Amino acid sequence: MQLMVLQLHGNEDVEISLQLAEFYSATQEVDLAMRYFVQALEQGYRLDYRVLQAPLFSALRHHHGFKRFIKPKPKQLIDGKRKIGEY
């Protein structure tokens, strides 16, 4: 309930934005989850295991816009070379 009050009055706290993103992701309201996730990023949140692995963020991770915030993992080098087109 207190989280909803903070939502209605606005906030500048990254943790509150992240909790709202988590709540909306868990309730399958992924557009709102994405909104608060982006807000948390703008407030200084650095992507970590919480969003990348926690079950409550599962719906958010499947949102079409989420992948743009994930850096591709570099491919392993084989004999010091990468194949063309690999990161």
Side-chain angles (χ1 to χ4, degrees):
M1 184 68 165
Q2 184 179 0
L3 196 57
M4 294 304 198
V5 171
L6 291 169
Q7 176 190 17
L8 293 174
H9 295 329
N11 76 84
E12 295 297 322
D13 186 344
V14 65
E15 186 59 31
I16 292 171
S17 296
L18 205 53
Q19 286 177 2
L20 286 164
E22 186 174 34
F23 170 78
Y24 285 118
S25 179
T27 59
Q28 303 298 312
E29 296 183 60
V30 291
D31 289 333
L32 282 171
M34 181 58 76
R35 172 184 170 197
Y36 286 104
F37 171 67
V38 170
Q39 181 173 309
L41 290 172
E42 290 170 349
Q43 293 169 330
Y45 172 69
R46 293 185 155 238
L47 198 57
D48 63 11
Y49 72 93
R50 180 174 173 185
V51 172
L52 295 174
Q53 297 176 359
L56 292 177
F57 281 104
S58 178
L60 178 65
R61 289 191 299 269
H62 290 94
H63 186 277
H64 64 275
F66 183 77
K67 292 190 190 315
R68 69 182 174 174
F69 298 104
I70 306 297
K71 292 181 182 177
K73 293 181 183 178
K75 302 283 184 179
Q76 282 187 323
L77 297 177
I78 301 173
D79 295 330
K81 297 180 183 179
R82 293 183 180 145
K83 293 181 181 178
I84 294 175
E86 291 184 342
Y87 293 94

